[in-house]
């Protein structure tokens, strides 16, 4: 499975959202920051003092490649799993090897949370079984590289808020320019015969079902596929 097979998502269009594989808990849990006026004691409203023109979203190339490969948005990964990414990069640099996407998914597999109870069941078309719904996605070590966490991140499900770049440089850190395509996948040409360009997201900005339509083993790489 190759990350280059992932189709880019246009940032200027709003796709039809399909939450048929997403559990109720992440969709229905209300943020504790909703309705807060004048700030909240647990919420940072400013993460960098002016000037902010050089501020970029804090994702490395490897992290964005992982998001694309898994077809997930950053918030779909469990916070504990996000910590594995910088740890893997530091370890690879120490060993003098390149921390590639394939190497990461040779060392790590994935597991999906599956809520119990009737609310976890989806509405299936007539004659088909109810689809299994899932919540957050986690990494699991296929061979032990790191010791397990002494403590786990808890209480994060209701502590979320939206972050968006407000500068040109910040926006460029999460999108790239590419040729616009029509519904048939054909490049749209302008009046002068030059391809029309638009912004494409470097990774998904939204929770979606596409990750859950792929078997977990399909995301990993065998040793023979590392070269």
């Amino acid at each position: 499975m190759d990350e280059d097979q992932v189709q880019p998502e246009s940032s200027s269009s709003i796709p039809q959202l399909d939450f048929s594989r997403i559990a109720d808990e992440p969709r229905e849990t209300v943020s504790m920051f909703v309705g807060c006026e004048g700030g909240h004691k647990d919420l940072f409203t400013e993460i960098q003092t002016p000037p902010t023109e050089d501020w970029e979203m804090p994702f490395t190339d490897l992290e964005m490649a992982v998001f694309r490969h898994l077809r997930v948005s950053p918030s779909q990964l469990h916070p504990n799993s996000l910590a594995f990414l910088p740890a893997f990069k530091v370890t690879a640099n120490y060993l003098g090897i390149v921390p590639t996407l394939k190497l990461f998914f040779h060392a790590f597999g994935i597991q999906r949370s599956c809520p119990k109870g009737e609310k976890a069941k989806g509405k299936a078309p007539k004659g088909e079984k109810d689809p299994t719904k899932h919540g957050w996605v986690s990494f699991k070590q296929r061979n032990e590289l790191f010791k397990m966490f002494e403590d786990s991140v808890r209480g994060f499900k209701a502590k979320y808020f939206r972050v968006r770049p407000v500068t040109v440089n910040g926006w460029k850190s999460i999108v790239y320019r590419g040729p616009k395509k029509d519904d048939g996948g054909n490049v749209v040409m302008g009046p002068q015969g030059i391809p029309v360009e638009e912004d494409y997201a470097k990774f998904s900005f939204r929770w979606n079902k596409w990750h859950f339509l792929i078997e977990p083993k399909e995301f990993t790489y065998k040793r023979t596929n590392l070269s």
Side-chain angles (χ1 to χ4, degrees):
M1 182 174 177
D2 195 326
E3 63 156 324
D4 291 335
Q5 295 175 355
V6 181
Q7 296 300 312
E9 177 181 308
S10 171
S11 61
S12 61
S13 61
I14 301 178
Q16 183 177 0
L17 302 181
D18 188 337
F19 298 123
S20 59
R21 296 294 180 118
I22 309 300
D24 293 327
E25 185 179 26
R27 292 191 297 109
E28 298 179 357
T29 300
V30 179
S31 172
M32 63 183 292
F33 303 123
V34 170
C36 291
E37 296 183 3
H40 187 282
K41 65 182 181 66
D42 293 328
L43 177 64
F44 293 96
T45 56
E46 294 183 2
I47 57 178
Q48 180 176 336
T49 55
T52 59
E53 189 59 33
D54 61 345
W55 187 84
E56 297 181 356
M57 296 293 279
F59 297 125
T60 65
D61 290 340
L62 175 63
E63 290 167 345
M64 289 189 286
V66 167
F67 301 151
R68 290 194 302 272
H69 181 68
L70 293 179
R71 280 76 162 169
V72 298
S73 65
S75 61
Q76 278 183 268
L77 288 178
H78 192 283
N80 282 342
S81 289
L82 286 171
F84 278 127
L85 285 164
F88 170 78
K89 185 175 181 179
V90 169
T91 302
N93 290 338
Y94 175 78
L95 296 174
I97 57 179
V98 179
T100 64
L101 177 80
K102 290 184 177 182
L103 184 59
F104 181 83
F105 282 106
H106 174 67
F108 289 89
I110 66 165
Q111 56 189 8
R112 297 160 174 166
S113 64
C114 184
K116 297 179 180 179
E118 292 299 319
K119 284 191 173 183
K121 295 181 179 180
K123 294 182 179 180
K126 187 176 181 180
E128 297 183 13
K129 294 182 178 180
D130 290 343
T132 300
K133 288 190 173 185
H134 297 278
W136 288 267
V137 178
S138 299
F139 296 132
K140 61 178 180 180
Q141 300 184 75
R142 303 177 72 189
N143 295 295
E144 187 173 356
L145 293 176
F146 308 104
K147 292 182 178 180
M148 295 306 295
F149 297 101
E150 293 184 359
D151 196 9
S152 180
V153 176
R154 295 182 176 88
F156 69 91
K157 296 177 181 179
K159 293 182 178 180
Y160 64 89
F161 52 90
R162 183 175 65 179
V163 176
R164 64 182 179 87
V166 295
T167 66
V168 173
N169 287 343
W171 180 246
K172 288 181 178 179
S173 69
I174 56 174
V175 302
Y176 67 93
R177 298 290 289 176
K180 183 177 181 179
K181 297 183 179 180
D182 59 23
D183 294 338
N186 303 306
V187 175
V188 177
M189 307 300 289
Q192 305 299 323
I194 300 175
V196 176
E197 289 193 337
E198 66 175 347
D199 291 334
Y200 286 91
K202 292 183 178 180
F203 52 85
S204 178
F205 295 163
R206 309 170 181 85
W207 281 55
N208 61 79
K209 72 171 185 178
W210 305 115
H211 166 83
F212 302 111
L213 299 181
I214 302 172
E215 290 293 324
K217 64 181 181 180
E218 295 298 321
F219 291 109
T220 60
Y221 290 94
K222 297 180 180 179
R223 184 187 297 271
T224 54
N225 299 129
L226 295 181
S227 59

